[in-house]
Amino acid sequence: MKHTTFNIFNEFRGKAVSVAENLKHVRQDIVALEQRFDRTSDSVRLLAVSKTKPLADIEAAYAAGQRMFGENYVQEAVDKHEHLSHLSDIEWHFIGPIQSNKSRQIAETMAWVHTIDREKIARRLSEQRPVEQLPLNVLIQVNISGEASKSGILLEQLDDMVSLIQQLPNIKLRGLMAIPAPQTSEADQIQVYAPLYQAFKALQQQDCDIDTLSIGMSGDMAAAIASGSTMVRVGTAIFGARNYTS
């Protein structure tokens, strides 16, 4: 029994060290890219994408100083929110597609939602956000590559969506999010991001009080930071390959 306990402890300790080391490397990469593209220091925040990862992995990342975590699946997100409620300053971001019948769970538990692309969902989140909580921070998802398989509004629909969200009392527009089609070069990826960045800056100039451009994952982080990203979403480089469940 002692031997088994010792092995379990060392397995957890090894995982914690691995997550901490991975986080350290990702943060170093972000700093290097900020310098490479003349970005202000600490202008890019790291969202650790923890979907399908066990609580122990999240706790290891938290122990290493990470506070922002992104989840794609509603029930998994709600369960993690409940089981890690003792980590009072953890910040949960919902980054997956939203079904109408799951909007209440999201509104009641998340601090941020990255995937607003329908009026119905925006209204439901505002109506279902508990009044004793701060307004829910939301991002509008934009389909900048025009892919039929991707969620998100088109850029020409952006002004109408912004106007709608600004009228809703219990959600707060913080910015834009996108998942573009992958490109074969960094230069091509930057070109794809350019219209989104221009739209983001235009909204800021309209006094929309937005501050967040959530673009960039492991595969296109450099292009995203070159294109004005203020938040990158990284999972595999921190936690390893995704865990699939049947």
Side-chain angles (χ1 to χ4, degrees), residues 164-197:
L164 167 70
I165 291 174
Q166 288 178 325
Q167 296 170 25
L168 299 175
N170 298 318
I171 61 176
K172 177 177 175 57
L173 180 63
R174 295 293 298 271
L176 308 178
M177 183 274 251
I179 307 172
Q183 304 297 314
T184 57
S185 72
E186 184 179 294
D188 287 342
Q189 198 76 68
I190 291 173
Q191 187 173 3
V192 169
Y193 276 133
L196 183 71
Y197 178 69

Side-chain angles (χ1 to χ4, degrees), residues 139-179:
L139 304 178
I140 297 172
Q141 183 172 357
V142 181
N143 188 345
I144 55 174
S145 298
E147 297 174 275
S149 60
K150 289 281 180 67
S151 300
I153 66 170
L154 300 178
L155 275 175
E156 51 264 35
Q157 300 170 309
L158 183 57
D159 287 344
D160 288 342
M161 184 63 76
V162 168
S163 296
L164 167 70
I165 291 174
Q166 288 178 325
Q167 296 170 25
L168 299 175
N170 298 318
I171 61 176
K172 177 177 175 57
L173 180 63
R174 295 293 298 271
L176 308 178
M177 183 274 251
I179 307 172

Side-chain angles (χ1 to χ4, degrees), residues 50-104:
S50 48
K51 62 181 180 182
T52 78
K53 295 301 176 180
L55 299 178
D57 283 11
I58 299 172
E59 290 176 313
Y62 182 92
Q66 182 64 28
R67 293 295 181 267
M68 297 163 45
F69 294 88
E71 292 289 330
N72 281 58
Y73 310 114
V74 175
Q75 192 56 56
E76 181 184 354
V78 170
D79 290 345
K80 288 177 176 177
H81 175 273
E82 177 182 353
H83 285 99
L84 296 175
S85 60
H86 59 287
L87 306 178
S88 59
D89 59 344
I90 199 167
E91 186 176 272
W92 294 106
H93 293 233
F94 191 78
I95 59 175
I98 302 173
Q99 297 175 314
S100 297
N101 64 342
K102 299 292 182 67
S103 61
R104 181 176 297 278

Side-chain angles (χ1 to χ4, degrees), residues 3 13 15 29 34 39 43-44 50 57 76 80 117 123 140 158 163 172 180 185 193 207 222 224 228:
H3 180 68
R13 184 174 65 181
K15 178 175 290 189
D29 288 344
E34 286 176 334
R39 296 287 305 275
S43 61
V44 181
S50 48
D57 283 11
E76 181 184 354
K80 288 177 176 177
D117 64 353
R123 291 190 182 278
I140 297 172
L158 183 57
S163 296
K172 177 177 175 57
S185 72
Y193 276 133
D207 296 324

